[in-house]
Amino acid sequence: MSQGSAITEEVFGRMPDGREVKIFTLTNANGLRARVTEFGAILVSMETPDCAGKLADLTHGYDTLEGWLTNTSYLGATVGRFGNRIANGKFSLDGKDYSLATNNTPGGIPCHLHGGLKGFDKVVWTGKAVGENAVELTYVSADGEEGYPGTLTTKVTYMLTNQDELKWEAQATTDAPTIVNLVHHSYWNLSGDPSSSINDHILTIAADRYLPTDAGLIPTGELAPVSGTPMDFTKPTAIGDRVDEEFDALKFGGGYDHAWVVDGDGLRLAARLMDPKSGRVIEVSTDQPGIQFYGGNFLDGTAVGKNATAYAFRTGLCLETEGFPDSPNQPAFPSPVLRPGQTYKHLMVHRFSAE
Ligand code: GLA
């Protein structure tokens, strides 16, 4: 272990059925601190300094395991087996039709969202400290769980480096053909004040194109240029500047809630988020084709989280690196199919700084 970094492990609480759930605390040489629990492979908190060196927790969430059990917004979670939406909850694979729960109805149109009724965000993973300041979490999803075919063996590793990076790395293998799209779903508010709006945060997305959707937030299949639209974040722009413009994507999402096509391939910068008040910055890099920018439009103050904060409209935002939504039904999109012998891999790196 590098000098100054440390990992500790404690009991976080018990599930209603009595199972013990652990929480791991990763601290790096510069004092940044990440807490990760076995429940939902969730990032419970992420503390980073502002430009004056003051630490604050930047993520929405809960203080206790009991709180996390009420998490309906996927705060901090590892989402799976298929993150984002699948039209009508249906897909076919090798000539067989599969039906998944339709647990979401944007615009009144039913779809499958984030793995179904009890996705990977609501199960207990098995965690252990590994290597340099990292925790590895394992979950084996049974064949047929939530309607998906194949036993999926999933590993997610969170690592906090002394370069102030939080790496989230997912891997999966299967014993029968299936579909996979694992997604990390933290809600960020870089100000450290989770009751303040994220509309003043300055966002850059390294994407010339985005995926327009229908009213049910299902991609139409087109990769549309962002140029000349409120979806253009190729230059640093305040989120609130154009969020109320007349534009279909913003109307359907109730604000920003779409996938962008990350330029290039391999591990590359997908987005940069900056809070002008605290100076805090997150740079998100990924090896995935897309990134969903969700502006917290469904937060309505009913979820009461850490320090009794009611998470209000647009007080947190998600930058979810991923495969494209509805890719199981869209042959032109990069394929989400995983077959026996193959390994699904997804690396997402958050780099924290302040300016
Ligand atoms: C995703 C979706 C949003 C919403 C949130 C969870 O990011 O894109 O539409 O469902 O998850 O509330």
Side-chain angles (χ1 to χ4, degrees):
M1 196 172 291
S2 311
Q3 213 187 350
S5 60
I7 178 160
T8 60
E9 172 180 330
E10 289 157 86
V11 175
F12 195 30
R14 283 186 184 277
M15 295 296 287
D17 65 9
R19 268 177 305 165
E20 192 177 275
V21 174
K22 289 188 202 125
I23 187 163
F24 297 84
T25 304
L26 313 175
T27 310
N28 81 358
N30 307 317
L32 276 72
R33 206 159 78 123
R35 302 191 84 205
V36 174
T37 179
E38 291 178 308
F39 178 68
I42 282 171
L43 178 65
V44 169
S45 59
M46 183 70 232
E47 291 165 81
T48 84
D50 66 9
C51 53
K54 189 170 172 280
L55 279 185
D57 177 12
L58 311 185
T59 63
H60 282 13
Y62 299 89
D63 293 314
T64 61
L65 178 63
E66 290 66 41
W68 283 105
L69 295 177
T70 70
N71 181 14
T72 52
S73 304
Y74 308 89
L75 307 179
T78 294
V79 169
R81 179 177 306 197
F82 192 95
N84 216 313
R85 296 186 167 82
I86 298 177
N88 309 306
K90 295 202 187 311
F91 69 98
S92 21
L93 180 55
D94 297 340
K96 255 183 97 174
D97 295 334
Y98 295 92
S99 250
L100 309 169
T102 47
N103 54 321
N104 190 234
T105 48
I109 304 166
C111 67
H112 182 76
L113 176 71
H114 290 342
L117 299 174
K118 189 178 176 189
F120 290 5
D121 60 301
K122 295 184 186 69
V123 301
V124 180
W125 298 58
T126 304
K128 62 171 188 203
V130 290
E132 281 272 298
N133 219 16
V135 53
E136 179 188 279
L137 302 125
T138 306
Y139 178 66
V140 180
S141 171
D143 177 29
E145 186 177 305
E146 286 294 326
Y148 294 98
T151 311
L152 192 77
T153 303
T154 311
K155 270 190 207 315
V156 163
T157 307
Y158 285 91
M159 180 192 282
L160 183 63
T161 73
N162 287 336
Q163 288 71 50
D164 297 344
E165 298 156 322
L166 179 72
K167 295 187 178 174
W168 177 92
E169 190 161 19
Q171 288 205 1
T173 53
T174 185
D175 66 358
T178 189
I179 55 168
V180 187
N181 189 28
L182 301 175
V183 176
H184 177 71
H185 206 285
S186 278
Y187 285 64
W188 301 101
N189 186 321
L190 303 190
S191 73
D193 172 6
S195 62
S196 67
S197 169
I198 50 79
N199 275 348
D200 62 348
H201 284 32
I202 312 287
L203 179 65
T204 316
I205 306 178
D208 285 335
R209 293 167 300 169
Y210 76 106
L211 303 184
T213 69
D214 63 16
L217 295 180
I218 299 296
T220 59
E222 189 195 351
L223 311 186
V226 295
S227 177
T229 78
M231 310 304 269
D232 188 352
F233 283 95
T234 52
K235 294 192 181 61
T237 308
I239 290 167
D241 275 5
R242 299 163 303 179
V243 71
D244 294 322
E245 279 183 20
E246 264 308 304
F247 190 71
D248 269 356
L250 297 171
K251 191 166 81 198
F252 297 153
Y256 290 106
D257 193 359
H258 272 66
W260 274 253
V261 182
V262 181
D263 294 334
D265 49 21
L267 184 66
R268 71 257 190 238
L269 187 71
R272 184 180 197 273
L273 183 67
M274 204 273 283
D275 166 40
K277 296 188 296 293
S278 66
R280 287 194 186 85
V281 173
I282 302 186
E283 286 164 321
V284 175
S285 302
T286 188
D287 55 10
Q288 295 295 295
I291 186 167
Q292 180 94 3
F293 160 40
Y294 164 57
N297 312 307
F298 294 113
L299 296 175
D300 60 4
T302 52
V304 178
K306 297 172 191 171
N307 303 308
T309 307
Y311 294 127
F313 187 54
R314 296 185 186 153
T315 55
L317 69 94
C318 304
L319 294 167
E320 310 156 46
T321 60
E322 59 188 20
F324 294 168
D326 199 37
S327 54
N329 294 310
Q330 308 223 16
F333 286 176
S335 172
V337 175
L338 183 73
R339 297 184 182 278
Q342 300 177 329
T343 303
Y344 165 88
K345 287 188 182 161
H346 177 169
L347 176 61
M348 177 186 204
V349 182
H350 302 83
R351 189 168 177 280
F352 302 99
S353 58
E355 60 185 35

